[in-house]
Amino acid sequence: QVQLVQSGGGVVQAGGSLRLSCAASGRTFDSYYMGWFRQTPEKEREFVATVSWIDGSTYYSDSVKGRFAISRDNAKSTQWLQMSSLKPEDTAVYYCAAMTLTLSTDFRAAGAYNAWGQGTQVTVST
């Protein structure tokens, strides 16, 4: 089992930056991907970014590409999401996630991840 604990988030003005952290514990050596999703009351949980725990490859949704950067430190079992040039439409609850049980090529699907952080609110004001 993998447990994920998030930190970071908060309120920022449009154009500002925030960094989210996600620390993993437990059977982290079994991880395939660790990523970030976000959710608002109006939308289903949507893919933001993910990083391969094996080779470090990164993938982003079109809506955040060029503004967000995901990174990881295998030795610390921690990943980060650096968010820049934030927009009001980035406002959401952000969740970190880990894919540890079964390797799925559909790493943009929430259902492919089996461990989730507690969620953290990010609010971007105009």
Side-chain angles (χ1 to χ4, degrees), residues 3-9 19-24 34-38 45 78-79 81 92-97 115-122:
Q3 294 79 41
L4 305 178
V5 177
Q6 299 178 221
S7 60
R19 188 173 83 156
L20 305 181
S21 301
C22 178
M34 291 189 71
W36 294 90
F37 289 74
R38 65 188 182 186
R45 194 164 297 189
T78 301
Q79 63 156 333
L81 184 69
V93 176
Y94 284 70
Y95 296 90
C96 68
W116 293 88
Q118 77 275 21
T120 187
Q121 178 70 44
V122 171

Side-chain angles (χ1 to χ4, degrees), residues 1 9-10 13 16 30 47 50 58 62 75 81 89-90 100 109 117-118:
Q1 289 281 36
Q13 287 190 329
D30 289 339
F47 170 76
T50 197
T58 58
D62 289 342
L81 184 69
E89 50 264 43
D90 294 319
T100 67
Q118 77 275 21

Side-chain angles (χ1 to χ4, degrees), residues 14-32:
S17 299
L18 282 174
R19 188 173 83 156
L20 305 181
S21 301
C22 178
S25 61
R27 295 178 62 89
T28 57
F29 53 86
D30 289 339
S31 297
Y32 294 109

Side-chain angles (χ1 to χ4, degrees), residues 14-114:
S17 299
L18 282 174
R19 188 173 83 156
L20 305 181
S21 301
C22 178
S25 61
R27 295 178 62 89
T28 57
F29 53 86
D30 289 339
S31 297
Y32 294 109
Y33 287 93
M34 291 189 71
W36 294 90
F37 289 74
R38 65 188 182 186
Q39 189 168 19
T40 66
E42 298 79 23
K43 294 183 180 180
E44 293 184 352
R45 194 164 297 189
E46 67 169 352
F47 170 76
V48 174
T50 197
V51 57
S52 167
W53 218 244
I54 298 172
D55 64 10
S57 299
T58 58
Y59 304 89
Y60 299 92
S61 67
D62 289 342
S63 62
V64 307
K65 194 176 298 182
R67 300 188 297 120
F68 290 13
I70 189 171
S71 59
R72 100 268 197 235
D73 184 327
N74 288 41
K76 296 181 180 179
S77 297
T78 301
Q79 63 156 333
W80 298 271
L81 184 69
Q82 179 67 46
M83 304 183 291
S84 303
S85 301
L86 283 161
K87 305 175 181 179
E89 50 264 43
D90 294 319
T91 296
V93 176
Y94 284 70
Y95 296 90
C96 68
M99 183 194 301
T100 67
L101 296 180
T102 302
L103 175 60
S104 171
T105 57
D106 193 9
F107 48 70
R108 297 174 185 270
Y113 296 79
N114 55 279

